Amino acid sequence: MNDLEARIAWSGLVEPGDPVAGALVESLGPVDALDLVARTARADAVLLPGLTTVAHGRVRRGLEGWAQRWGADTWRRHRDWIEALSGRVVVPGDPGWPAGLDDLGLARPMCLWVRGADPAPLLARAVSVVGSRAATSYGEHVTAELCAGLADADACVVSGGAFGIDAMAHRAALTADGGTVAVLAGGLDRPYPAANARLLSAVAEKGALLAEVPPGTAPTRHRFLLRNRLIAALGQVTVVVEAARRSGALSTAGHATALMRPVGAVPGPVTSAASSGCHHLLRDGAVCLTSAADVLELLDGTPADSGIAEPLLGARERIVLDALPVRQGTAPEGLTRPCGLALPEVLAALGTLELSGRAVRSAGRWRRA
Amino acid sequence: MNDLEARIAWSGLVEPGDPVAGALVESLGPVDALDLVARTARADAVLLPGLTTVAHGRVRRGLEGWAQRWGADTWRRHRDWIEALSGRVVVPGDPGWPAGLDDLGLARPMCLWVRGADPAPLLARAVSVVGSRAATSYGEHVTAELCAGLADADACVVSGGAFGIDAMAHRAALTADGGTVAVLAGGLDRPYPAANARLLSAVAEKGALLAEVPPGTAPTRHRFLLRNRLIAALGQVTVVVEAARRSGALSTAGHATALMRPVGAVPGPVTSAASSGCHHLLRDGAVCLTSAADVLELLDGTPADSGIAEPLLGARERIVLDALPVRQGTAPEGLTRPCGLALPEVLAALGTLELSGRAVRSAGRWRRA
């Protein structure tokens, strides 16, 4: 048995993100770690030297749980199954393995079950776009605009394949011939929700469909929550378009924050419950996003369109900018009164505004750029 | 002539916020400073000892400008006029003078022309609520809700008496029997816009109508921009409900920031140009406001309703909170897998959640509060 095969077996034994299994596999390697499970299943003696009492107990309990699911040939069945789906398995170290997952540490998936393109190149520049299943037409409209803009800028759209925002995100990326990746909570043999099966097939065909659990695994509530950590880890930025206060999208945002990934939220009407989770994120420090340009700014770290140097403008610069005529220029002296500022302050502000491209000078007179 | 009379005269001579006049009045007192204007008007010799060359030139130019408007009895005409309007004048040092204006330094108004109640007690707890004249029905609805909530919490609503958000802010405060103050850019003899005359009369009757310029003064563009600094200084918090990218409400927000007052913005649909200025403010660090409770939190410094301890929750706490059952409790060990966390981490998170009142423990089992 090699590492790939052992990781396939591990992914069928553990619940997603199990840190005890993660620690065991990281320290012994997948093959030797799996051997402990097999020996536990056979009731062979298993020695766990060098562990504290607490760790020893947790590993022991883990081994006993995994041993109950252990079957020497189960992994082969899973591998044949994914091959029958024209899919494959990618493991850490493979060129197709997305580096972002390594930030999950011990909660890193054992392997990725893949249908479609190699994840790593697709995800080199990726934004996770998530939101409510119960999206409003406003939320779907904004999602479509955002994701079309991301596709145009060659950024891959990562989402969860669910109804509402997720589905619109994939659809908009596909329509704009962009890359898109759907991460499922269950096995790839059962696209969930079933009503999105055709959409998910299209994602597999033009992008990639990913799962960390083998074919045949049911998508349960806690697998959904843990699937969210993969969505957060696969995008360099996470965007929440619409989310109620209890939306799973907020768990994705929480994972992204824990992973030190920037989180952005799209505002909406304060009268809309579907935006209340986004407003909560905004109060909590998420970046307010209103366009694909704003998302790309977060992704690439360069300021978007007209917002260029505005964050650099102080109150003084703003007051002078407000008072600055659009057409005919004015002498700086003409700005002191309307601005309530002394001439040196006006001159300093004009200098800053000129540097940021918002004011232009011509023959000693100033106007807006 | 006493200080009150001299300040009345000054308010008719200078443009709002003139820092040179402010410096002269602060250093010599209003009476002696005014004497310099009268002497300049009579072409008497005026000595300005102890000034640098630059300051000397600015004061000299100031005096020449003011001297052209100087009339020994003009102030009396203005005073009689405000009395005919059943109004009066409040100056720094009067009990009615709102302390917030002193933060404007040399740009502090010379005096306040008042119709209605004494400003200071009315403004002891005040929120400035501003926004677009071209408000949408969404913006007006949110303004009405916010201002009714502020009135219920005994907070005064300060605004500019304009169409749209301003008018709705005053109207909602009046309807809820709350305090409200309108700050006009022109003289109090000409409520502007004229179509709001009846509303502004009601504000004068139940709250207060303020201006820094004497009756008879026209509201010009730059007087509007400078009037905004008064709105920003009179509220302890400034709230922008709806604003396009060029809205005067953004100048009010800029003044509030310069005065170190907290600024909040109400989000709206990103598809609405009337909210784009608010979103810009949010990207710039304004607080996202969705309800009167959020505004009161900003005003009083205590967290609003359900947001109570959430800003304190880290990513770990959120993940555990997400996984925590609502009905039947679970043992902490049952949370390690769904959360992808080790037991000590789960226990630490549960402790924090319990402290913040979001999780409850019963017989060793945990559930959401």
Side-chain angles (χ1 to χ4, degrees):
Chain A
M1 198 178 224
N2 61 25
D3 274 16
L4 169 66
E5 293 161 350
R7 283 186 170 274
I8 291 177
W10 270 111
S11 95
L13 291 175
V14 298
E15 281 302 320
D18 184 327
V20 178
L24 213 59
V25 167
E26 291 304 319
S27 54
L28 304 181
V31 176
D32 288 353
L34 193 64
D35 188 50
L36 294 183
V37 179
R39 276 156 55 196
T40 306
R42 291 194 305 267
D44 282 2
V46 171
L47 285 175
L48 299 170
L51 291 179
T52 64
T53 315
V54 171
H56 191 281
R58 292 172 66 198
V59 171
R60 179 72 64 189
R61 277 195 302 280
L63 287 171
E64 281 158 11
W66 306 322
Q68 286 174 18
R69 304 193 197 176
W70 169 252
D73 282 328
T74 316
W75 71 270
R76 246 186 262 275
R77 246 190 20 250
H78 289 152
R79 189 198 52 190
D80 295 349
W81 200 341
I82 193 73
E83 282 174 359
L85 294 165
S86 312
R88 67 200 179 286
V89 177
V90 171
V91 294
D94 283 351
W97 180 259
L101 293 179
D102 296 338
D103 294 344
L104 292 167
L106 298 182
R108 181 171 79 160
M110 295 294 177
C111 65
L112 278 184
W113 302 79
V114 182
R115 282 180 61 198
D118 249 1
L122 203 53
L123 292 160
R125 184 171 145 81
V127 175
S128 300
V129 178
V130 295
S132 287
R133 278 163 299 174
T136 68
S137 60
Y138 165 70
E140 293 194 339
H141 169 80
V142 175
T143 305
E145 291 287 315
L146 278 188
C147 295
L150 292 176
D152 288 345
D154 288 323
C156 179
V157 172
V158 180
S159 197
F163 289 129
I165 302 299
D166 285 21
M168 185 53 88
H170 295 302
R171 199 169 280 129
L174 289 171
T175 306
D177 279 325
T180 188
V181 167
V183 188
L184 302 187
L188 295 188
D189 60 311
R190 47 168 90 185
Y192 182 91
N196 281 350
R198 184 177 290 188
L199 172 64
L200 293 171
S201 289
V203 170
E205 209 168 291
K206 296 195 174 176
L209 219 51
L210 308 181
E212 63 178 312
V213 291
T217 310
T220 61
R221 176 172 154 75
H222 85 254
R223 288 188 190 129
F224 270 107
L225 287 170
L226 284 158
R227 184 276 314 262
N228 292 343
R229 85 192 195 291
L230 302 187
I231 295 180
L234 290 172
Q236 284 99 58
V237 165
T238 289
V239 174
V240 183
V241 182
E242 263 191 335
R245 286 299 282 264
R246 292 261 148 129
S247 171
L250 298 185
S251 102
T252 309
H255 283 293
T257 303
L259 290 166
M260 314 281 277
R261 306 273 200 275
V263 172
V266 174
V270 298
T271 47
S272 167
S275 287
S276 59
C278 290
H279 297 148
H280 183 68
L281 289 174
L282 290 175
R283 288 173 67 81
D284 236 25
V287 177
C288 179
L289 301 174
T290 63
S291 63
D294 289 348
V295 181
L296 291 167
E297 175 183 337
L298 212 53
L299 182 65
D300 300 329
T302 54
D305 67 323
S306 63
I308 285 185
E310 290 203 27
L312 300 172
L313 297 186
R316 197 171 60 182
E317 283 74 22
R318 259 164 232 235
I319 290 168
V320 171
L321 184 60
D322 274 333
L324 211 57
V326 179
R327 304 256 168 92
Q328 285 205 312
T330 179
E333 289 77 9
L335 292 168
T336 53
R337 274 193 181 177
C339 295
L341 293 172
L343 188 59
E345 294 179 294
V346 168
L347 290 171
L350 285 171
T352 306
L353 291 169
E354 186 182 30
L355 276 175
S356 72
R358 317 208 102 241
V360 286
R361 177 171 30 173
S362 164
R365 300 181 76 79
W366 292 80
R367 59 175 178 80
R368 289 196 194 200
Chain B
M1 198 179 225
N2 61 26
D3 274 17
L4 170 66
E5 294 162 350
R7 282 187 171 274
I8 291 176
W10 271 112
S11 94
L13 291 176
V14 299
E15 281 302 320
D18 184 326
V20 178
L24 212 60
V25 168
E26 292 303 318
S27 54
L28 303 181
V31 176
D32 288 353
L34 193 64
D35 188 51
L36 294 184
V37 179
R39 276 157 55 197
T40 306
R42 291 196 303 268
D44 281 1
V46 170
L47 286 176
L48 299 170
L51 291 179
T52 64
T53 315
V54 170
H56 191 282
R58 291 172 67 197
V59 171
R60 179 72 65 189
R61 277 195 303 280
L63 287 171
E64 282 158 10
W66 305 321
Q68 286 174 18
R69 304 194 197 175
W70 169 251
D73 282 327
T74 316
W75 72 268
R76 246 185 263 275
R77 247 189 20 250
H78 288 152
R79 190 199 52 189
D80 295 349
W81 200 342
I82 193 74
E83 283 174 359
L85 293 165
S86 312
R88 66 202 180 285
V89 176
V90 171
V91 295
D94 283 351
W97 180 258
L101 293 180
D102 296 337
D103 293 344
L104 291 166
L106 297 182
R108 181 171 81 161
M110 294 294 178
C111 66
L112 278 184
W113 301 79
V114 182
R115 282 180 61 199
D118 248 1
L122 202 54
L123 292 160
R125 184 172 144 82
V127 175
S128 300
V129 178
V130 296
S132 287
R133 278 163 298 174
T136 68
S137 60
Y138 164 72
E140 294 196 333
H141 169 80
V142 175
T143 304
E145 292 287 314
L146 278 188
C147 294
L150 293 176
D152 288 345
D154 289 322
C156 179
V157 172
V158 180
S159 196
F163 289 129
I165 302 299
D166 285 20
M168 185 53 88
H170 295 302
R171 198 170 282 130
L174 289 171
T175 307
D177 280 325
T180 188
V181 167
V183 188
L184 302 187
L188 295 188
D189 60 311
R190 48 168 91 184
Y192 181 90
N196 282 350
R198 185 178 290 190
L199 172 64
L200 293 171
S201 288
V203 170
E205 210 169 289
K206 297 194 173 178
L209 219 51
L210 307 181
E212 63 177 312
V213 291
T217 310
T220 60
R221 177 172 154 75
H222 85 255
R223 286 187 191 130
F224 270 108
L225 287 170
L226 284 158
R227 183 276 314 263
N228 292 343
R229 85 191 193 291
L230 302 187
I231 295 180
L234 290 172
Q236 285 98 58
V237 165
T238 289
V239 175
V240 183
V241 183
E242 263 192 336
R245 287 298 284 263
R246 292 261 149 126
S247 171
L250 298 185
S251 103
T252 309
H255 283 293
T257 303
L259 290 166
M260 314 281 277
R261 306 273 200 275
V263 172
V266 174
V270 298
T271 47
S272 167
S275 286
S276 58
C278 290
H279 297 148
H280 183 68
L281 289 174
L282 290 175
R283 288 173 66 81
D284 236 25
V287 177
C288 178
L289 301 173
T290 63
S291 64
D294 288 349
V295 180
L296 292 167
E297 174 182 338
L298 212 53
L299 182 64
D300 300 329
T302 53
D305 68 321
S306 63
I308 285 185
E310 289 201 30
L312 300 172
L313 297 186
R316 198 171 60 182
E317 284 73 23
R318 259 162 233 239
I319 290 168
V320 170
L321 185 60
D322 273 332
L324 212 56
V326 178
R327 304 257 168 91
Q328 285 204 312
T330 179
E333 290 77 10
L335 292 168
T336 53
R337 275 192 183 177
C339 295
L341 293 172
L343 189 60
E345 293 180 294
V346 168
L347 290 171
L350 285 171
T352 306
L353 291 169
E354 186 181 31
L355 277 176
S356 72
R358 319 208 100 239
V360 287
R361 176 171 32 173
S362 165
R365 300 181 76 80
W366 293 80
R367 59 176 178 78
R368 290 196 192 198

Coordinates of all heavy atoms in Angstrom, one line a residue, chain A residues 109-160:
Chain A
P109 N -7.6 18.1 4.9 CA -8.2 16.8 4.4 C -7.2 15.8 4.1 O -6.0 16.1 3.8 CB -8.9 17.2 3.1 CG -8.8 18.7 3.0 CD -7.8 19.2 3.9
M110 N -7.6 14.5 4.3 CA -6.7 13.4 4.0 C -6.3 13.3 2.5 O -5.2 13.0 2.1 CB -7.3 12.1 4.4 CG -7.5 12.0 5.9 SD -5.9 11.9 6.8 CE -6.5 11.9 8.5
C111 N -7.3 13.7 1.7 CA -7.1 13.7 0.2 C -8.3 14.5 -0.3 O -9.2 14.9 0.4 CB -7.1 12.3 -0.4 SG -8.7 11.4 -0.2
L112 N -8.2 14.8 -1.6 CA -9.4 15.4 -2.3 C -9.9 14.5 -3.4 O -9.1 14.0 -4.2 CB -8.9 16.7 -3.0 CG -8.8 18.0 -2.1 CD1 -8.5 19.2 -3.1 CD2 -10.1 18.3 -1.4
W113 N -11.2 14.2 -3.4 CA -11.8 13.5 -4.4 C -12.2 14.5 -5.5 O -12.9 15.5 -5.2 CB -13.0 12.8 -3.9 CG -12.6 11.8 -2.8 CD1 -12.4 12.1 -1.5 CD2 -12.4 10.4 -2.9 NE1 -12.1 11.0 -0.8 CE2 -12.1 9.9 -1.6 CE3 -12.5 9.5 -4.0 CZ2 -11.8 8.6 -1.4 CZ3 -12.2 8.1 -3.7 CH2 -11.9 7.7 -2.5
V114 N -11.8 14.3 -6.7 CA -11.9 15.3 -7.8 C -12.7 14.8 -9.0 O -12.4 13.7 -9.5 CB -10.5 15.8 -8.2 CG1 -10.6 16.9 -9.2 CG2 -9.7 16.2 -7.0
R115 N -13.6 15.6 -9.4 CA -14.1 15.4 -10.8 C -13.9 16.7 -11.6 O -14.4 17.7 -11.1 CB -15.6 15.1 -10.8 CG -15.9 13.6 -10.4 CD -17.4 13.4 -10.4 NE -18.0 13.6 -11.7 CZ -19.3 13.8 -11.9 NH1 -20.2 13.8 -10.8 NH2 -19.8 14.0 -13.1
G116 N -13.2 16.6 -12.7 CA -12.9 17.8 -13.5 C -11.5 18.1 -13.5 O -10.6 17.2 -13.4
A117 N -11.2 19.4 -13.6 CA -9.8 19.9 -13.8 C -9.0 19.7 -12.5 O -9.5 19.5 -11.4 CB -9.8 21.3 -14.2
D118 N -7.7 19.8 -12.7 CA -6.8 19.7 -11.5 C -7.0 21.0 -10.7 O -7.0 22.1 -11.2 CB -5.3 19.8 -12.0 CG -4.6 18.5 -11.8 OD1 -5.2 17.6 -11.2 OD2 -3.4 18.4 -12.1
P119 N -7.3 20.8 -9.3 CA -7.6 21.9 -8.5 C -6.6 23.0 -8.4 O -6.9 24.2 -8.5 CB -7.9 21.3 -7.1 CG -8.1 19.9 -7.4 CD -7.4 19.5 -8.6
A120 N -5.3 22.6 -8.3 CA -4.3 23.6 -7.9 C -4.2 24.8 -9.0 O -4.3 25.9 -8.6 CB -2.9 23.0 -7.7
P121 N -4.0 24.4 -10.3 CA -3.9 25.6 -11.2 C -5.2 26.4 -11.3 O -5.1 27.6 -11.4 CB -3.6 24.9 -12.6 CG -3.7 23.4 -12.3 CD -3.8 23.1 -10.9
L122 N -6.3 25.7 -11.2 CA -7.6 26.4 -11.2 C -7.7 27.4 -10.0 O -8.3 28.5 -10.2 CB -8.7 25.4 -11.1 CG -10.1 25.6 -11.6 CD1 -10.1 26.1 -13.0 CD2 -10.9 24.3 -11.5
L123 N -7.1 27.0 -8.9 CA -7.3 27.8 -7.7 C -6.2 28.8 -7.4 O -6.2 29.3 -6.3 CB -7.5 26.8 -6.5 CG -8.8 26.0 -6.5 CD1 -8.7 24.8 -5.6 CD2 -10.0 26.9 -6.1
A124 N -5.3 28.9 -8.3 CA -4.1 29.8 -8.1 C -4.6 31.2 -7.7 O -3.9 31.9 -6.9 CB -3.2 29.8 -9.3
R125 N -5.7 31.6 -8.2 CA -6.3 32.9 -8.0 C -7.8 32.7 -7.8 O -8.5 32.6 -8.8 CB -5.9 33.8 -9.2 CG -6.3 35.2 -9.2 CD -5.7 35.9 -10.4 NE -6.6 36.9 -11.0 CZ -6.6 38.1 -10.5 NH1 -5.9 38.5 -9.5 NH2 -7.4 39.0 -11.0
A126 N -8.2 32.6 -6.6 CA -9.6 32.2 -6.4 C -10.3 33.0 -5.3 O -9.7 33.4 -4.3 CB -9.6 30.7 -6.0
V127 N -11.6 33.2 -5.5 CA -12.4 33.9 -4.5 C -13.5 32.9 -4.1 O -14.2 32.4 -5.0 CB -13.0 35.2 -5.1 CG1 -13.9 35.8 -4.1 CG2 -11.9 36.1 -5.5
S128 N -13.7 32.8 -2.8 CA -14.9 32.0 -2.3 C -16.1 32.9 -2.2 O -16.0 33.9 -1.5 CB -14.5 31.3 -1.0 OG -13.4 30.5 -1.2
V129 N -17.2 32.6 -2.9 CA -18.4 33.4 -2.9 C -19.5 32.5 -2.3 O -19.9 31.5 -2.9 CB -18.7 33.8 -4.3 CG1 -20.0 34.7 -4.3 CG2 -17.6 34.7 -4.9
V130 N -20.0 32.9 -1.1 CA -21.0 32.1 -0.5 C -22.2 33.0 0.0 O -22.1 34.2 0.0 CB -20.4 31.4 0.8 CG1 -19.3 30.4 0.3 CG2 -19.8 32.4 1.8
G131 N -23.2 32.3 0.4 CA -24.4 33.0 0.9 C -25.6 32.1 1.1 O -25.5 30.9 1.0
S132 N -26.7 32.8 1.4 CA -27.9 32.1 1.8 C -28.4 31.2 0.6 O -28.3 31.5 -0.5 CB -29.0 33.1 2.1 OG -28.8 33.7 3.3
R133 N -29.0 30.0 1.0 CA -29.8 29.3 0.1 C -31.1 30.0 -0.2 O -31.5 30.1 -1.3 CB -30.1 27.9 0.7 CG -29.0 26.9 0.6 CD -29.2 25.7 1.5 NE -29.2 26.2 2.9 CZ -29.4 25.5 3.9 NH1 -29.7 24.2 3.8 NH2 -29.3 25.9 5.1
A134 N -31.7 30.7 0.8 CA -32.9 31.5 0.6 C -32.5 32.9 0.2 O -32.7 33.9 0.9 CB -33.7 31.5 1.9
A135 N -31.8 33.0 -1.0 CA -31.4 34.3 -1.5 C -32.6 35.1 -2.0 O -33.6 34.5 -2.4 CB -30.3 34.0 -2.6
T136 N -32.4 36.4 -2.0 CA -33.4 37.2 -2.7 C -33.0 37.4 -4.1 O -31.9 37.1 -4.5 CB -33.5 38.6 -2.0 OG1 -32.3 39.3 -2.2 CG2 -33.8 38.4 -0.5
S137 N -33.9 38.0 -4.9 CA -33.5 38.3 -6.3 C -32.4 39.4 -6.3 O -31.5 39.3 -7.1 CB -34.7 38.8 -7.1 OG -35.2 39.9 -6.5
Y138 N -32.4 40.2 -5.3 CA -31.3 41.2 -5.1 C -29.9 40.5 -5.0 O -29.0 40.7 -5.7 CB -31.5 42.1 -4.0 CG -30.3 42.9 -3.5 CD1 -29.8 43.9 -4.3 CD2 -29.7 42.6 -2.3 CE1 -28.7 44.6 -3.9 CE2 -28.6 43.3 -1.9 CZ -28.1 44.3 -2.7 OH -26.9 45.0 -2.2
G139 N -29.9 39.5 -4.0 CA -28.7 38.8 -3.8 C -28.2 38.0 -5.0 O -27.0 38.0 -5.3
E140 N -29.2 37.4 -5.7 CA -28.8 36.6 -6.9 C -28.2 37.6 -8.0 O -27.3 37.3 -8.7 CB -30.0 35.8 -7.4 CG -30.4 34.7 -6.4 CD -31.3 33.7 -7.0 OE1 -32.0 34.0 -8.0 OE2 -31.3 32.6 -6.5
H141 N -28.9 38.7 -8.1 CA -28.4 39.7 -9.1 C -27.0 40.2 -8.8 O -26.1 40.2 -9.7 CB -29.4 40.9 -9.1 CG -28.8 42.1 -9.9 ND1 -28.9 42.1 -11.3 CD2 -28.2 43.2 -9.5 CE1 -28.4 43.3 -11.7 NE2 -27.9 43.9 -10.7
V142 N -26.7 40.5 -7.5 CA -25.4 41.0 -7.2 C -24.4 39.9 -7.3 O -23.3 40.1 -7.8 CB -25.4 41.5 -5.7 CG1 -24.0 41.9 -5.3 CG2 -26.3 42.7 -5.6
T143 N -24.7 38.6 -7.0 CA -23.8 37.5 -7.1 C -23.5 37.3 -8.6 O -22.3 37.1 -8.9 CB -24.5 36.2 -6.6 OG1 -24.9 36.4 -5.3 CG2 -23.6 35.0 -6.7
A144 N -24.5 37.4 -9.5 CA -24.2 37.2 -10.9 C -23.2 38.3 -11.4 O -22.3 38.0 -12.1 CB -25.5 37.3 -11.7
E145 N -23.5 39.6 -11.0 CA -22.6 40.7 -11.4 C -21.1 40.5 -10.9 O -20.2 40.6 -11.6 CB -23.1 42.0 -10.9 CG -24.4 42.4 -11.5 CD -24.2 42.9 -12.9 OE1 -23.2 43.7 -13.1 OE2 -25.0 42.5 -13.8
L146 N -21.0 40.1 -9.6 CA -19.7 39.9 -9.0 C -19.0 38.8 -9.7 O -17.8 39.0 -10.0 CB -19.9 39.5 -7.5 CG -20.1 40.6 -6.5 CD1 -20.0 40.0 -5.1 CD2 -19.1 41.7 -6.6
C147 N -19.6 37.7 -9.9 CA -18.9 36.5 -10.4 C -18.6 36.7 -11.8 O -17.5 36.2 -12.3 CB -19.7 35.2 -10.1 SG -19.8 35.0 -8.3
A148 N -19.4 37.3 -12.6 CA -19.1 37.6 -14.0 C -17.8 38.5 -14.0 O -16.9 38.2 -14.8 CB -20.2 38.3 -14.7
G149 N -17.8 39.5 -13.1 CA -16.6 40.3 -13.1 C -15.3 39.6 -12.7 O -14.2 39.8 -13.2
L150 N -15.5 38.6 -11.7 CA -14.3 37.8 -11.3 C -13.9 37.0 -12.4 O -12.7 36.8 -12.7 CB -14.7 37.0 -10.1 CG -15.0 37.8 -8.8 CD1 -15.5 36.8 -7.7 CD2 -13.7 38.5 -8.4
A151 N -14.8 36.4 -13.2 CA -14.4 35.5 -14.3 C -13.7 36.3 -15.3 O -12.7 35.9 -15.9 CB -15.7 34.9 -14.9
D152 N -14.2 37.6 -15.6 CA -13.5 38.4 -16.6 C -12.1 38.7 -16.1 O -11.2 39.0 -17.0 CB -14.3 39.7 -16.7 CG -15.6 39.5 -17.5 OD1 -15.7 38.4 -18.1 OD2 -16.5 40.4 -17.5
A153 N -11.8 38.7 -14.8 CA -10.5 39.0 -14.3 C -9.7 37.8 -14.0 O -8.7 37.8 -13.3 CB -10.6 39.9 -13.1
D154 N -10.2 36.6 -14.6 CA -9.5 35.4 -14.5 C -9.3 34.9 -13.0 O -8.4 34.3 -12.7 CB -8.1 35.5 -15.1 CG -8.2 35.5 -16.6 OD1 -9.0 34.8 -17.2 OD2 -7.4 36.2 -17.2
A155 N -10.3 35.2 -12.2 CA -10.3 34.7 -10.9 C -11.4 33.6 -10.8 O -12.5 33.7 -11.3 CB -10.7 35.8 -9.9
C156 N -11.0 32.5 -10.2 CA -11.9 31.3 -10.1 C -12.9 31.5 -8.9 O -12.6 32.1 -7.9 CB -11.0 30.1 -9.7 SG -11.9 28.6 -9.5
V157 N -14.1 31.1 -9.1 CA -15.2 31.3 -8.1 C -15.4 29.9 -7.4 O -15.7 28.9 -8.0 CB -16.5 31.7 -8.8 CG1 -17.6 31.7 -7.8 CG2 -16.3 33.1 -9.4
V158 N -15.1 29.9 -6.1 CA -15.3 28.7 -5.3 C -16.6 28.9 -4.5 O -16.9 29.9 -3.9 CB -14.1 28.6 -4.3 CG1 -14.3 27.3 -3.4 CG2 -12.8 28.6 -5.0
S159 N -17.4 27.8 -4.5 CA -18.6 27.9 -3.7 C -19.1 26.4 -3.3 O -18.3 25.5 -3.5 CB -19.7 28.7 -4.4 OG -20.7 29.0 -3.5
G160 N -20.3 26.3 -2.8 CA -20.7 25.1 -2.2 C -21.7 24.3 -2.9 O -22.3 23.3 -2.5

